[in-house]
Amino acid sequence: MKRVLFFLPALVWLATSCASTSGKVAGVQDITGGIGIVVDASTVHNNTVSRNEFSIIENRAIAARVAKVAADALERKGYAPAGVVVTTAGGRLNAKAQYSVTDAEGKELKAPEEVQPPFVIEPPVADAARPHIAPLFSSLRAKLGSMGEPGDKELPSIDQSYLDAAPDGGAVLAIVCEGHVPSGGARAAAVSTALLSIVAATSGGSGKIEGEVRTQSNAEIYIIDRRSGVTLWHDSVEEHDLSPAFFADAVGKTLEKLPQAGSAK
């Protein structure tokens, strides 16, 4: 039995570890009029016995740090950020789900079902633009193309009205920082499943391990033509870290791949 336990952590890690990056460039060099930036952070702590937990403090910290890094990265590449960066917390969340939300002081909201995501928008946007934030971030989902390869993605086209919350400019840089921490119960169940799978494998049965036991994080970057709603450029990074430092580093390194403004294609 000691031998089985020795191999368990390694096998669980191999079954769940995932990190990938893919990108696509098309006409970004020709953007004029600056780029408006909007950043959303939607990270949650899963809970198996009650509502999943959403911390406004944690997500505001992620969005604010990423916003600064993104603006600096664009300037280094010769793209002018347009206006003040808009940051949101919870824009990617499912509006039909209910969350246990803690506010900026760490106190739980007494009636979170009455507060629809995004829970924070900084600075405030026009009343007419606010309802478009959640649809914008829910629409920003790149899909695998017909070849099924990570670099062969079908990039979304966005309804132009969804972009009205972003600062004015020739294009919009929309960044999504999302992820989740699995509940303690889910981790325990996955480890138990992995142990049973290992025992089965040593007895000649199936050793297949399914399920997720690690924190999952995903930083997605989209540059969208303001006039057409077409996504000009996309990249993403997956990891197992929900810290502001991870998201900022991932976004900064990804934006370094952008072509220099005005450079030849």
Side-chain angles (χ1 to χ4, degrees):
M1 181 60 71
K2 289 183 179 180
R3 184 179 181 182
V4 171
L5 292 176
F6 174 79
F7 284 108
L8 176 59
L11 287 177
V12 171
W13 185 88
L14 287 172
T16 58
S17 177
C18 179
S20 63
T21 304
S22 61
K24 188 171 184 179
V25 177
V28 180
Q29 302 95 327
D30 297 330
I31 294 173
T32 59
I35 299 179
I37 304 173
V38 58
V39 180
D40 177 68
S42 293
T43 66
V44 299
H45 293 252
N46 292 348
N47 195 320
T48 54
V49 296
S50 61
R51 297 173 178 175
N52 289 338
E53 301 165 7
F54 182 88
S55 168
I56 288 177
I57 293 176
E58 292 178 5
N59 284 284
R60 285 177 74 184
I62 292 170
R65 188 158 177 175
V66 168
K68 177 66 167 58
V69 168
D72 290 346
L74 286 187
E75 289 188 295
R76 284 195 301 273
K77 288 292 182 177
Y79 300 96
V84 178
V85 179
V86 174
T87 61
T88 67
R92 195 66 172 283
L93 298 182
N94 182 355
K96 296 181 180 180
Q98 293 185 352
Y99 300 87
S100 174
V101 182
T102 55
D103 64 17
E105 297 179 353
K107 299 178 181 179
E108 185 175 358
L109 300 183
K110 293 183 178 180
E113 64 274 5
E114 297 177 4
V115 183
Q116 293 298 308
F119 300 111
V120 175
I121 305 172
E122 297 175 317
V125 298
D127 290 343
R130 184 184 177 99
H132 293 155
I133 292 176
L136 167 63
F137 287 111
S138 64
S139 299
L140 291 172
R141 298 186 185 276
K143 301 178 181 179
L144 286 179
S146 58
M147 300 301 293
E149 296 296 331
D152 177 36
K153 288 188 174 182
E154 296 177 0
L155 304 182
S157 291
I158 306 302
D159 188 312
Q160 288 173 278
S161 67
Y162 295 168
L163 302 174
D164 59 5
D168 290 335
V172 172
L173 168 61
I175 301 173
V176 184
C177 303
E178 65 177 352
H180 68 93
V181 178
S183 67
R187 289 195 296 267
V191 170
S192 177
T193 299
L195 178 58
L196 292 174
S197 298
I198 294 169
V199 172
T202 59
S203 303
S206 172
K208 184 178 181 181
I209 302 174
E210 296 180 347
E212 183 54 71
V213 298
R214 300 188 70 188
T215 295
Q216 294 293 301
S217 54
N218 186 34
E220 298 179 25
I221 298 93
Y222 297 83
I223 295 182
I224 306 159
D225 188 314
R226 189 108 194 199
R227 296 164 299 180
S228 65
V230 171
T231 298
L232 301 175
W233 191 87
H234 162 71
D235 211 328
S236 63
V237 180
E238 296 178 7
E239 250 300 341
H240 307 285
D241 186 348
L242 296 185
S243 69
F246 156 70
F247 284 111
D249 184 63
V251 169
K253 289 180 178 177
T254 298
L255 291 176
E256 286 301 322
K257 301 177 185 177
L258 280 173
Q260 199 70 25
S263 62
K265 300 177 184 179

